[in-house]
Amino acid sequence: MTGVKRLLVASLTLGFIGGYVDTVGFVALFGLFTAHVTGNFVLIGAELSRASGGSVLLKLLVFPTFVVSVALARMVALRCERTKTVASRPLLVMQAALLVVALICSVPAGAALAPDAPWAMATGLFITAAMGVQNAAGRLAWPALTPTTVMTGNVTQVVIDGVDLLRGAAGPDVRERLGRFIWPVAAFAVGALTGAFAYAAWKFWALLLPLVMLAGLVVMDVKADKKG
């Protein structure tokens, strides 16, 4: 498989995982965004504005958790630079390990979750950390890869390039960029739908699917942004 095809597979896989895991977290953990963490600020404001209030502790903790996970991913990438190794595989393993810990934490959490229950909070924070690593890996290991966890910028670019394509003003660079940006958006949407149904059927055991997909990327070992 060529480098370009490997990157496309990685983009599709990570886009699917981004939508899938974010949806599982949102459905299971009381509207928690585990990939699009800034969205939690809106939810915090909404909770605090209600007369009855609500537990916002988990949503408050996800932002520092996300920051720490990105910082750790950066440290891993820097170590790889010093040892002349590629960062993609260690970062994928790191993300998978955090999801495994989240799955382990979800077992004592059980089906009767509460926003401030310790095991439920631990589950949400480890999922957030895993998605923080995925966010960082996109910049540290595959800088030419389009974002795979937050789709707002991708959708904006797809619409801009789509308009240029329809008005006949799209050159080869626009067509190439449109191809790179549209596939992660589609994969994210499919992942989000799949994640909702998977959690309804299997609860947190639904996290096994992204773990299998991450293992596949580790085996495939998508190393760099190379063409050919």
Side-chain angles (χ1 to χ4, degrees):
M1 187 183 294
T2 65
V4 171
K5 289 182 179 179
R6 285 174 182 266
L7 282 174
L8 177 59
V9 171
S11 181
L12 289 170
T13 303
L14 292 172
F16 180 93
I17 291 173
Y20 184 100
V21 174
D22 211 20
T23 301
V24 169
F26 189 87
V27 174
L29 297 166
F30 316 98
L32 178 71
F33 288 113
T34 56
H36 182 207
V37 291
T38 53
N40 292 303
F41 295 147
V42 177
L43 299 176
I44 290 169
E47 289 287 352
L48 293 177
S49 69
R50 295 171 184 166
S52 60
S55 177
V56 298
L57 180 58
L58 178 56
K59 295 181 179 69
L60 286 171
L61 290 175
V62 294
F63 188 73
T65 299
F66 187 88
V67 170
V68 170
S69 66
V70 172
L72 290 174
R74 176 57 174 163
M75 292 173 65
V76 169
L78 289 172
R79 179 176 176 80
C80 289
E81 288 180 14
R82 290 194 298 269
T83 58
K84 306 298 182 183
T85 56
V86 181
S88 54
R89 181 171 278 174
L91 290 174
L92 288 169
V93 171
M94 182 179 177
Q95 180 181 354
L98 288 166
L99 280 180
V100 168
V101 175
L103 183 56
I104 292 171
C105 291
S106 74
V107 174
L113 295 174
D116 53 356
W119 285 112
M121 292 180 65
T123 301
L125 294 179
F126 277 108
I127 295 176
T128 299
M131 299 315 294
V133 173
Q134 179 168 322
N135 271 277
R139 295 176 179 269
L140 297 171
W142 308 290
L145 206 66
T146 55
T148 59
T149 54
V150 181
M151 292 295 121
T152 305
N154 289 0
V155 172
T156 301
Q157 191 63 58
V158 166
V159 173
I160 291 172
D161 290 341
V163 169
D164 288 343
L165 182 66
L166 290 174
R167 68 188 185 91
D173 57 330
V174 173
R175 295 174 185 273
E176 186 274 336
R177 185 173 59 232
L178 182 61
R180 284 193 297 112
F181 276 80
I182 198 169
W183 290 115
V185 173
F188 187 94
V190 173
L193 290 171
T194 306
F197 285 104
Y199 180 77
W202 303 305
K203 302 306 178 187
F204 280 110
W205 292 109
L207 292 176
L208 289 173
L209 177 57
L211 283 170
V212 170
M213 297 176 78
L214 287 170
L217 288 180
V218 170
V219 172
M220 191 173 68
D221 196 14
V222 183
K223 294 182 178 179
D225 300 287
K226 295 179 180 179
K227 293 185 178 181

